[in-house]
Amino acid sequence: MKKTKSCLLVMSASISADKILQYSNLPYTKVCILYIGKRDITVKKIPTKLEVVFVSDGNDLTRKIKYIFQKHLEYKIIPHFTWDDNSRHAIKVYNHSFGTKIDAKVFKEKDKMQKFLWDISRKEYVKMSYRDVVHSDYAMLAEQLGAQFIVKPTNASASRSAFKVQSEEEFELIKGKISRWYEYLIEEYIGGELYSMDFFVSEGKMYLLNYAREVAMIELSDKKKFSKEFLEKYGEELEKHFNFILPLAYHLDFSQLNKIELNFLEELRKKLAEIDYRGVIHLEYKYDRKLKKIGFIEWGARYGGYRSTFIKKIYNTDILKIPYYLLIDQDTSRFQVLKNNILCIKEQEHNVNLIRVKTNFVETTNFISILKKTWGIFETSLSQFLREYYVRVFGIKIKNIEFYVKYSPLYNFFPFYHKQATKLDYTLEMDDANFELFKKKKFQIIEKTFFHDYR
């Protein structure tokens, strides 16, 4: 039988010797790199298996994808794009390669996804223009959606210009805070704890890749976990900007999925099978253990933040290879059945646990100001300080810490709602005993580390 020629299509802002080696070792026949970085590539020799296609801007990206379609007619092209804005391009490539007609808006625009999943989520909502929101009445919305509801943009990150409303007074206040540049989804508020699932869909089957607990700032407010001192210092900022930020995410074992969650996943699987969907999904949902109730929050046609690290370190699996295994080679040997057409990765590292920690700022902050908090700016690195701080304050030992940092040319960090170009996040690795301790103290850890308010 003739082997299928395959081409992985990736986007990259840099091409290093390490990336060249990584791409060269992938099982695909060819790897096309949509390169959005500077044209002066320092790597002298690029293997013939790799093809670099320069992209100048967003409009050019569409043209270059079409160019690759036309140039490689004999190849099955498989996309790997990150972030929501690029997910529509991934779906376009899958549609081209497999003859499907999937609407990318179902995974990007929040009103479209709610409509698509109405039979499953049954979550009441209305879509409004900015003008309609400003001129709407709380009592009218509360009658349809309940006394508590969420106002958030239909086509933006949920943490941007998103608000929880519980009273007429709050609703009037948020009218002055929402952005006139968005259309809005107003939906009933779903209680419970936030979870996420990254999975790949192929031939109607759902392959679970990562199951995680996510902690949102609004959960701490709902559960009244913040101290009086913290609320006095940051309460106003939290209400204005940070309610929907996720400061923590940590992996869970697939064996912890209960019957209600598996039934929920099965309903989603069936819905995706109806449209012959192929590719990855990052799903977020809330589960109320007391009421035994699940509520759909949102999903996207891409991996969740830092999930590639989680999947690589915990399950020894490179996410770039998963489409090859499942779509090209049709090899499912790395997975085991959880329930009927829902499978999960077999192999797992023992005594390895990962936590993604996100931090932020209430004002523009220079990196030197953060280093000053270590009380040893020239003697102690931030990594060493955090290791010692977690032991001293929480009694938690960290095996490894990996930073994900972006800063301005002047080494400044900005509040996310001003600019999203900077970040200071890190991933913690710890053994089982310290991981259990971390989960018990997660609310205290958020309060002391999110705004770098070490004491």
Side-chain angles (χ1 to χ4, degrees):
M1 186 171 116
K2 189 176 179 181
K3 191 172 182 179
T4 303
K5 286 186 176 182
S6 58
C7 174
L8 180 68
L9 184 60
V10 298
M11 185 184 300
S12 180
S14 64
I15 296 180
S16 63
D18 287 343
K19 277 197 173 182
I20 294 296
L21 181 62
Q22 179 193 14
Y23 293 148
S24 298
N25 288 332
L26 292 173
Y28 302 90
T29 315
K30 178 175 280 293
V31 177
C32 286
I33 305 169
L34 295 165
Y35 183 64
I36 57 175
K38 296 179 180 178
R39 285 189 171 254
D40 54 336
I41 299 175
T42 56
V43 178
K44 294 181 180 179
K45 188 176 180 180
I46 296 177
T48 55
K49 177 180 178 176
L50 274 55
E51 179 179 350
V52 179
V53 179
F54 291 95
V55 177
S56 58
D57 55 33
N59 292 328
D60 191 38
L61 177 61
T62 300
R63 289 193 293 269
K64 292 302 168 60
I65 291 174
K66 186 177 181 180
Y67 158 78
I68 290 168
F69 289 164
Q70 294 170 342
K71 184 178 180 181
H72 301 293
L73 294 173
E74 74 276 25
Y75 287 80
K76 186 77 76 175
I77 300 175
I78 305 295
H80 176 78
F81 296 140
T82 56
W83 307 114
D84 275 339
D85 289 342
N86 296 322
S87 61
R88 61 190 174 93
H89 296 295
I91 290 176
K92 182 190 298 184
V93 176
Y94 276 122
N95 283 342
H96 170 85
S97 294
F98 294 93
T100 51
K101 296 181 179 180
I102 294 166
D103 183 1
K105 293 179 181 179
V106 167
F107 304 98
K108 173 64 176 167
E109 298 182 15
K110 295 175 178 63
D111 58 314
K112 296 286 195 306
M113 64 180 72
Q114 293 290 1
K115 183 178 180 180
F116 179 73
L117 293 173
W118 171 250
D119 290 342
I120 299 172
S121 69
R122 296 287 179 179
K123 183 160 60 171
E124 294 288 345
Y125 70 92
V126 292
K127 181 182 178 182
M128 288 186 171
S129 66
Y130 166 80
R131 180 181 176 84
D132 286 341
V133 175
V134 171
H135 293 285
S136 61
D137 176 69
Y138 169 78
M140 177 193 70
L141 291 169
E143 183 177 352
Q144 179 179 351
L145 305 173
Q148 298 183 82
F149 53 81
I150 300 295
V151 179
K152 61 184 180 183
T154 60
N155 196 8
S157 170
S159 57
R160 291 179 65 84
S161 203
F163 302 90
K164 179 184 177 184
V165 175
Q166 303 182 83
S167 67
E168 183 176 354
E169 182 182 11
E170 287 182 352
F171 188 53
E172 293 304 313
L173 285 173
I174 70 107
K175 289 180 180 180
K177 299 173 184 177
I178 61 174
S179 170
R180 65 178 63 248
W181 306 113
Y182 295 126
E183 288 186 304
Y184 284 87
L185 187 76
I186 305 180
E187 63 181 16
E188 64 175 292
Y189 179 66
I190 303 295
E193 296 180 337
L194 184 64
Y195 293 86
S196 68
M197 183 73 69
D198 290 74
F199 57 86
F200 199 92
V201 179
S202 172
E203 302 298 328
K205 289 183 168 55
M206 178 184 286
Y207 297 88
L208 307 186
L209 304 173
N210 184 255
Y211 172 41
R213 168 81 161 96
E214 306 211 27
V215 182
M217 282 296 195
I218 196 168
E219 179 185 329
L220 278 73
S221 295
D222 286 349
K223 293 182 176 180
K224 302 188 184 305
K225 294 290 184 179
F226 290 125
S227 68
K228 180 182 178 182
E229 293 76 17
F230 185 81
L231 288 175
E232 286 177 351
K233 189 171 185 178
Y234 298 112
E236 186 177 347
E237 285 292 325
L238 289 172
E239 286 295 322
K240 282 183 179 178
H241 307 293
F242 294 97
N243 259 337
F244 295 92
I245 286 288
L246 307 176
L248 289 183
Y250 53 83
H251 89 279
L252 298 171
D253 191 271
F254 296 121
S255 63
Q256 294 178 256
L257 284 165
N258 60 42
K259 184 178 180 180
I260 296 173
E261 289 173 294
L262 286 172
N263 289 341
F264 174 64
L265 291 173
E266 172 63 10
E267 290 301 309
L268 294 176
R269 185 201 65 77
K270 289 177 181 176
K271 197 69 179 176
L272 291 166
E274 286 177 9
I275 60 172
D276 202 18
Y277 181 84
R278 290 172 180 81
V280 70
I281 294 286
H282 176 71
L283 165 72
E284 294 181 357
Y285 64 92
K286 278 190 172 182
Y287 179 51
D288 190 320
R289 294 187 181 276
K290 291 182 179 179
L291 299 177
K292 305 294 183 185
K293 182 180 178 182
I294 280 188
F296 171 80
I297 301 301
E298 60 186 54
W299 64 6
R302 43 79 182 173
Y303 286 95
Y306 308 106
R307 293 314 192 274
S308 61
T309 301
F310 280 38
I311 295 167
K312 179 68 175 176
K313 290 191 175 183
I314 297 171
Y315 301 108
N316 295 307
T317 300
D318 183 347
I319 60 172
L320 293 176
K321 295 180 180 179
I322 289 169
Y324 184 87
Y325 297 148
L326 299 177
L327 298 177
I328 305 299
D329 216 23
Q330 297 184 348
D331 175 11
T332 62
S333 62
R334 293 164 180 81
F335 297 86
Q336 61 186 356
V337 175
L338 267 182
K339 178 183 178 180
N340 299 330
N341 290 308
I342 300 175
L343 302 88
C344 67
I345 301 178
K346 287 180 185 176
E347 185 180 350
Q348 179 175 348
E349 287 291 335
H350 296 289
N351 209 27
V352 174
N353 303 278
L354 295 180
I355 305 107
R356 189 270 296 143
V357 181
K358 181 180 288 292
T359 75
N360 216 270
F361 309 89
V362 295
E363 60 187 8
T364 300
T365 303
N366 190 268
F367 188 51
I368 295 296
S369 299
I370 299 170
L371 290 179
K372 285 179 180 178
K373 297 174 185 286
T374 68
W375 304 294
I377 186 171
F378 296 111
E379 297 84 13
T380 307
S381 68
L382 185 58
S383 174
Q384 180 185 344
F385 167 74
L386 286 173
R387 288 173 184 268
E388 294 172 354
Y389 183 79
Y390 273 85
V391 171
R392 177 170 55 84
V393 178
F394 308 115
I396 295 171
K397 293 182 181 179
I398 297 168
K399 287 171 62 177
N400 187 44
I401 182 168
E402 185 173 348
F403 287 93
Y404 303 87
V405 182
K406 289 183 180 179
Y407 44 78
S408 75
L410 296 177
Y411 300 94
N412 286 324
F413 297 95
F414 307 109
F416 84 97
Y417 52 90
H418 285 168
K419 294 182 182 179
Q420 289 193 310
T422 65
K423 66 178 177 181
L424 178 47
D425 303 340
Y426 52 89
T427 299
L428 300 176
E429 181 183 336
M430 57 189 66
D431 62 24
D432 292 346
N434 284 284
F435 184 50
E436 290 304 314
L437 190 56
F438 182 95
K439 288 187 287 186
K440 290 177 182 177
K441 297 187 175 184
K442 59 181 175 288
F443 297 135
Q444 300 99 294
I445 291 170
I446 290 171
E447 186 169 303
K448 290 180 179 293
T449 62
F450 183 73
F451 290 118
H452 302 274
D453 196 12
Y454 310 112
R455 43 187 160 75

